[in-house]
Amino acid sequence: MLEALLFGHQKGAFTGASAGGDGFFRAANGGTILLDEIAEMPLQLQAKLLRVLQEREVVPLGASVPQPIDVRVIACANRDLHSEVAAGRFRADLYYRLAVFPLATKSLAERPQDIPALAATLILRHAGNRNVIPWPSHAAIEQLMLHDWPGNVRELENVIQRALLFCGGDTIEANHIVFDRPVTMTFQRTASVTPIAPVATPAEPETLGNIVQMSEFAAIRETLKACNGSRIETAKRLGISERTLRYRLAKAREQGDDIGSAQNWAASA
């Protein structure tokens, strides 16, 4: 069925084919076709796609005469195709046929500066016919930027839609931001690590965003101590990128808690 959808078929080519079909490649002739999640394509179909790209023609199911096509192909994958080729799950010749101009996008956690603009776009998209479009408070934006976003922009869109449902007024507050996972960072405790209770700051109200943030800072501090100050090992244990860890440490310094300094994590021993 995938082959018929991509390359077309003739009437009677298979059971239920009461009429012929052009297929996506012939329908896109003279234009562009997007092949999303191409890493999921079966190897047998990969070989047929390779022939289409090489010969610039398709042979519909049930036909014997090839049909010429002129199509620009954009292929997307959510896995590293180099690793898929090495594992034998993706054809190397197809990869090099497709990789004329490769582009890689960073995860959302590695570009937190994009989150406010993306959140605004998603709010406008999903606000519907409201007379007043709710706008996120500073605390809500800060909470969004502190999350590690394993689901990237799709997860952000879910969180924004959820916040719009919870929001009854014209402002999206921090308590309207609800993630799929209650804890944004995970790490492994060792026997030598003693949990450190986060110290509340009297000058700030104990909002949900502040509590989450203090818990994150405490987690980073004790993991740094367990890793003897190694930021690379700390990031691995916390399950985040080094860039995300640097952002968290900079955020803590802005609030007067230099948890990344050697004196700080050593003093807490």
Side-chain angles (χ1 to χ4, degrees), residues 27-51:
N29 192 35
T32 302
I33 185 170
L34 171 66
L35 302 177
D36 198 9
E37 304 293 359
I38 197 169
E40 310 296 334
M41 182 177 286
L43 285 169
Q44 184 179 4
L45 191 56
Q46 289 180 29
K48 296 181 179 180
L49 175 61
L50 175 63
R51 181 191 177 281

Side-chain angles (χ1 to χ4, degrees), residues 25-102:
F25 270 89
R26 284 196 289 171
N29 192 35
T32 302
I33 185 170
L34 171 66
L35 302 177
D36 198 9
E37 304 293 359
I38 197 169
E40 310 296 334
M41 182 177 286
L43 285 169
Q44 184 179 4
L45 191 56
Q46 289 180 29
K48 296 181 179 180
L49 175 61
L50 175 63
R51 181 191 177 281
V52 169
L53 298 179
Q54 287 177 337
E55 305 299 331
R56 296 179 180 270
E57 61 184 23
V58 297
V59 180
L61 283 177
S64 57
V65 179
Q67 303 290 325
I69 57 168
D70 179 17
V71 176
R72 179 192 295 111
V73 177
I74 300 174
C76 305
N78 63 356
R79 295 202 295 265
D80 180 16
L81 289 183
H82 282 288
S83 301
E84 295 299 298
V85 169
R89 292 187 292 265
F90 199 83
R91 293 179 61 103
D93 46 6
L94 177 58
Y95 169 76
Y96 288 110
R97 176 64 63 179
L98 289 168
V100 175
F101 195 86

Side-chain angles (χ1 to χ4, degrees), residues 162-182:
R162 195 175 298 142
L164 288 172
L165 292 173
F166 288 141
C167 174
D170 58 358
T171 303
I172 297 176
E173 302 290 355
N175 62 322
H176 298 147
I177 305 298
V178 180
F179 302 108
D180 295 328
R181 301 180 305 161

